[in-house]
Amino acid sequence: MSEEKKGFFSRLVEGLTKTRNNIASVFDDIFSGFSSIDDDFYEELEEVLVMADIGIHTTEMIIEDLKVKVKENHLKEPSECREYLIRSIKEQ
C-alpha cells in the first residue's frame, strides 16, 4: 500500500478548501462578468451566497447592506463592490 489513507479531518479540510476555491472563482466571475450593478448582478450574488450555505436570512441582510453601500458611495462598477461585500459578510 504505497498511498496512505487520509483521515476524516484531512478529507474534510480538502473538501472545504475545494469548495472555498470554487466559490471564490464564482465571485470572481460575477465581479468581472457584469458591466453594471443592477438587479441581475444582485440576484447572481444572492444565488452564490445561498449556495455557499450562508443562509437565506443572512444573505438578504448582506445584499441589502451592499445595496446601501453602493448607493452611499455612488458605485457604478461591479468590481468596486468586492470590498464592500467582503466587509458585509464579515459583519454578519
Side-chain angles (χ1 to χ4, degrees):
M1 184 148 89
S2 62
E3 191 175 311
E4 190 175 318
K5 272 189 143 183
K6 291 183 180 179
F8 171 75
F9 289 109
S10 295
R11 291 190 317 268
L12 180 62
V13 168
E14 185 177 295
L16 291 173
T17 300
K18 189 183 297 185
T19 300
R20 181 184 66 227
N21 291 340
N22 288 341
I23 291 170
S25 174
V26 172
F27 277 119
D28 288 342
D29 291 345
I30 291 171
F31 288 115
S32 65
F34 280 85
S35 59
S36 65
I37 301 170
D38 57 11
D39 288 339
D40 290 336
F41 172 75
Y42 288 120
E43 285 179 24
E44 193 72 25
L45 281 178
E46 187 174 339
E47 183 178 317
V48 173
L49 290 169
V50 169
M51 286 186 344
D53 205 23
I54 289 180
I56 294 172
H57 179 70
T58 304
T59 296
E60 289 173 349
M61 290 171 49
I62 290 168
I63 296 296
E64 288 306 313
D65 183 55
L66 182 61
K67 287 180 179 180
V68 169
K69 289 176 182 174
V70 165
K71 188 174 182 175
E72 287 176 350
N73 294 286
H74 309 288
L75 303 179
K76 302 292 182 209
E77 298 294 322
S79 60
E80 299 173 319
C81 294
R82 179 185 294 279
E83 287 303 315
Y84 292 101
L85 178 65
I86 291 168
R87 286 184 209 150
S88 185
I89 290 170
K90 286 180 180 179
E91 289 171 4
Q92 297 303 319

